[in-house]
Amino acid sequence: MSRSGSSIDVIRPPEGSALLERLRGQTTARPTVDPGLAGGLRDWLEDGLAGVTDGLPVDAAPVRVTKEALTGVLMCEAHLMARRTSPRTVTVELARGSLVDALFRQWVTTGRLDDPWPDALGAVRADGDTDIIDFLEAMDAPNSRELAREVAEHAAGVVARWPVPSPTWLPRTQERLVVPLVGGRVVLSGVVDLAFGGPASERASVCVVEIKSGRRRVEHRGDLHFYALLETLRSGAPPFRIATYYTRTGELDVEPVTDDVLVGALQRVLAGTVRLCRLAAGTEPTRTPNGLCAWCAALPGCEPGQARAGTDVPRRVGDATTDDDFSLLAETDTGGGGGDDEQELEE
Amino acid sequence: MTVPTTTGMSLALPRAAALTDALLAPPADSVRAAEITALRAELAGELVALAEELPVGERLRLDGYRFDMARERPERCSAADAPFVASPVVCRRAIGLSALARCVRRWAPTPAVAVADVLAVGVEDAADAADQSSGRPPWWAAWYRSLPAGGRAMVAAEAVTWATQVWTALEWERFAPPPIVGSGDDWWDCPGTRQLTLRGRADVRVRGDGPPVLLVVASGLPPADWRPALGFPALVSALARGETSVPCRVIGLWPASGQVRILPVDGPALSTTAAAVVGAVATWVDARLEAHGTRVA
C-alpha cells in the first residue's frame, strides 16, 4: 500500500501474467551461482555447531530444526517445550490452512478446482490427516458452513489470480528439504509449498513460494529465509527468488535471495539450533515473556509469563481468533511446515 | 580405472552431470561366477536354518523396506504387518517411475504431463479390470479410481514432485541406449525352503557393454550404515540372475537431502550385504515368533 495525502491507495494484488512476472523476473537477470557458496555455508554451520551436540545422549534422536522450532525456541524456550508436551490442538485456522493448501496444490497440479469444499475434504482424507478430518467431522453445521465459505473464497482468489504454471517450469508442490549436520545429529528440515525451475547450473534457477491462508506477518520472512538456506545447502545453489503468497488477500511478497539473506538465515539457524540442542540435552528452558504467554500451557507455573499475560490461567487455543498475537500460534501456514520428513513407507 | 566417488560431487554444478558421470563410468572389478556360487550356497544354508524357525505356514518376503527396517528400527518389526493403506505418498514412487519411463521414451515432455497420462491410463485399466475385459492394472489404480477429485489431485501432486526430482537429477540424453526405468524387481526364492523370498528393486538400471549400474532413489536422509541398503538390490540381482547381471556399482540418491552415495559392487560388498541379510531375516523371524508368543527368552 502507498499513502498519497490523507487517502490510501490500495495496490491491487498481482494476478495472471503480472504475478508470474514478479515470481520469475528476467531469466537473464538471475544471479550467477558461486559454486563455493553452499559448501562455505555448510562449513560455517558445522563450525558453529561443533561441540554443541556433545551434551546429547549418545542414542538421542537427531535434533530436528524446523521453521516452527526455530521461531518457537527463539521466542521462548519454555513456551516451545510446553507446546511440545501438549496434545496437538486443531483450530479453525489450522484446518483452513490444510484445506486451502490442498486446493492450491490441486490447482497448480491439475489446473482444475471444480468444487472447493468437497475437493479439499477429498484431499485431506486421501492424505490421511486424521486430526484435521476428526476436527472437521466434529464441527457443527453453522461453523462448517462458515469454514466452507471461507475456503471457497480463498480458492476463488487462487483461481482468479494464479495462472496454472507451465509443466515446462517443472513445478513441484510440498517438496521436502532435509539437511543433515554434525554427522546427522542435527537435521534441518522443511517442506516447500511450491518450487519451480530446474536445477541450477551457472545461474540460479529455482523460485520458492510459501502459501499462507492467514494474515501477513513479518515472521514469515524468517521462514522463507530458512527455506532459502535449506535449498542452497541441499542443491548447491540458492533460489533466485523467494515469495510468500497470501490466499486471503492475494498479497505477494517477493524477495531476491542475496548473500545477506542467506547469512542472516544461517545466523538465526545457529542461534536457534544451539538452544534446541541445549534443550534436547535436558537444560532447563529459559523463559522469555512475549505475546503468546496468555496461551501458554506452562503459564500457571511461569511468573514472568503471568506478569506479561496478567493472569495465571492460560487461554484456550482458538478462543480469540482475531487476536494478532494468537495468529502466530494458530499455525495459519498452509504448508506441511517441516518435520514431515520421516522415512515414509513406500510400496 | 578410477572408481567414481561422491568426493567433490556435492560442490559440482550442475549436479546432474556428476551423477550421470557416475552412472556411465566404466566398471572396475567384476564379481566372479565362482564367488557368487559360493555366496549363494552359504547364504542359502544360513537362511534355510532361520526360515525353519518361522511359524508353520508363514512366509517371509524380505524386500528393501523390510531389510532396512530390521537393521535400523528392529523394534518396529513386531508391529509392521499392519494392513496396507494406500496414500499419495505411498503411491508416488510407482506412479512416478511409470511417468519417468514415459519421459525417457519421449512419450511425454515433462514429468507433470507424464504423470497425468499414467493416471489416466491407470483409471482406464482399473475400469477395464472391473469389467474383466483386460489384464491386471497397476496396484494403485483401483484405489486411485475410487478417490474424489481432491484426493486424485494429491496423488498426482506427490507423483509429480517425486518424478520431477528424479528427472532433474540426471542428464538423460547422455544415456545410449536409454536406461531402463522401473524395471521388474529381482526375486530370489531361497532354495531348500518355501518360506523365504528376497526381493530386490532398483529405480533405474543403466546398461552398456559391461555390467549394469543401478540407481536407487530413497526418501529423507541416507542411513548411517548405507552400504547394505545399496548392496541389497545388487545381492538379490546376483542371486537371482547370476554373474552376468551383477551390477558393478549401485548409486543411492536421496533427493530431499541432495545426498548421493556410491557403492562399488565386489565380492566383499556382496558378502557384507549377505551377512546383513542373515541378520535382518533373524530379526524378522524373532518378530514373527514373538507375535505368535512362541519365542522363549
Side-chain angles (χ1 to χ4, degrees), chain A residues 40 43 46 53 82 86 91 101 103 134 149 155 174 232 241 249 255 257 269 285 313 323 328 340:
Chain A
D43 289 347
E46 294 283 3
T53 58
S86 303
T91 63
D101 172 61
L103 292 174
D134 291 347
R149 187 194 60 75
Q174 299 289 305
T232 306
R241 279 189 186 168
T249 60
E255 193 175 356
V257 179
V269 165
V313 181
D323 186 288
L328 185 63
D340 184 29

Side-chain angles (χ1 to χ4, degrees), chain B residues 3-12 18 260 262:
Chain B
V3 176
T5 69
T6 50
T7 306
M9 186 177 277
S10 63
L11 296 181
V260 173
I262 300 175

Side-chain angles (χ1 to χ4, degrees), chain A residues 76 78-79 82 284-289 293-309 311-314:
Chain A
C76 175
H79 181 78
E284 184 70 17
T286 59
R287 302 165 192 274
T288 311
C293 288
W295 287 270
C296 182
L299 185 63
C302 178
E303 286 187 18
Q306 291 167 15
R308 169 71 189 235
T311 176
D312 64 352
V313 181

Side-chain angles (χ1 to χ4, degrees), chain A residues 36-109:
Chain A
L37 175 65
L41 292 170
R42 185 180 285 275
D43 289 347
W44 190 343
L45 281 166
E46 294 283 3
D47 289 348
L49 295 174
V52 170
T53 58
D54 290 353
L56 297 174
V58 175
D59 56 351
V63 174
R64 305 196 83 84
V65 183
T66 64
K67 65 181 183 184
E68 292 87 0
L70 266 184
T71 301
V73 80
L74 293 172
M75 184 174 287
C76 175
E77 295 176 11
H79 181 78
L80 176 71
M81 297 303 283
R83 283 194 69 187
R84 284 181 169 179
T85 52
S86 303
R88 184 191 187 202
T89 305
V90 178
T91 63
V92 172
E93 291 73 25
L94 184 62
R96 185 187 63 210
S98 293
L99 296 167
V100 172
D101 172 61
L103 292 174
F104 181 81
R105 217 177 167 197
Q106 178 174 344
W107 177 249
V108 167
T109 304

